Amino acid sequence: MDTTLPDKMYYKIGEVAEVAQVKTSVLRFWESKFSFLKPEKSTTGQRLYSKKEVDLILKVRQLLYVEKYTIEGVRKKISTSGKLKNCSDIQSEHKIVEKSMLLNEVRQELQVIRNML
């Protein structure tokens, strides 16, 4: 995949689609699914992607088409700010969920004991 882009501030949807080797409709669909993809729009309504967004689109394409992630998997892998989460971030999120579940169990057991009194 040729990922060379001309050096400019914004890229039109057709340019990005060509570089990412996807249809423009796919890019619009990804915008609806990934909150970190929000291109600016010109006064005429043309989508204008920044270099950062183009890089994110290429990463999304890699995750979906090559690494076979699901849409939800990509959401988990890339944070809402558009930064790639590393393994420690994902592990800490799992630990938080586990601790929350444990706290709920303890709370329920304490309520049972309180009702017995």
Side-chain angles (χ1 to χ4, degrees):
M1 171 176 10
D2 182 24
T3 60
T4 55
L5 284 171
D7 189 25
K8 54 186 184 179
M9 287 185 63
Y10 292 103
Y11 305 92
K12 293 182 180 180
I13 192 168
E15 295 171 307
V16 177
E18 186 177 321
V19 168
Q21 296 180 343
V22 295
K23 294 182 178 181
T24 56
S25 58
V26 171
L27 292 177
R28 289 190 295 273
F29 173 75
W30 287 352
E31 287 175 29
S32 71
K33 296 298 177 185
F34 303 118
S35 60
F36 52 84
L37 289 179
K38 293 217 183 286
E40 292 187 28
K41 292 194 178 177
S42 69
T43 55
T44 60
Q46 176 75 40
R47 287 170 168 79
L48 301 173
Y49 294 88
S50 67
K51 176 71 172 133
K52 178 184 172 193
E53 287 171 321
V54 174
D55 291 339
L56 281 170
I57 287 168
L58 293 173
K59 184 60 184 171
V60 167
R61 184 189 188 288
Q62 170 76 19
L63 291 170
L64 288 172
Y65 294 169
V66 177
E67 297 180 31
K68 304 297 184 191
Y69 276 74
T70 61
I71 297 282
E72 189 60 32
V74 172
R75 281 191 196 125
K76 289 179 182 177
K77 186 90 170 159
I78 301 176
S79 70
T80 55
S81 64
K83 294 184 178 173
L84 202 59
K85 293 182 181 179
N86 60 30
C87 290
S88 63
D89 291 341
I90 295 169
Q91 288 172 345
S92 65
E93 286 179 9
H94 287 295
K95 287 180 184 178
I96 290 170
V97 169
E98 288 173 2
K99 287 178 182 179
S100 176
M101 291 172 60
L102 179 63
L103 282 173
N104 283 334
E105 288 178 31
V106 170
R107 184 179 295 119
Q108 289 174 352
E109 290 177 20
L110 286 172
Q111 286 175 346
V112 169
I113 292 170
R114 185 181 73 192
N115 291 336
M116 291 170 60
L117 296 175

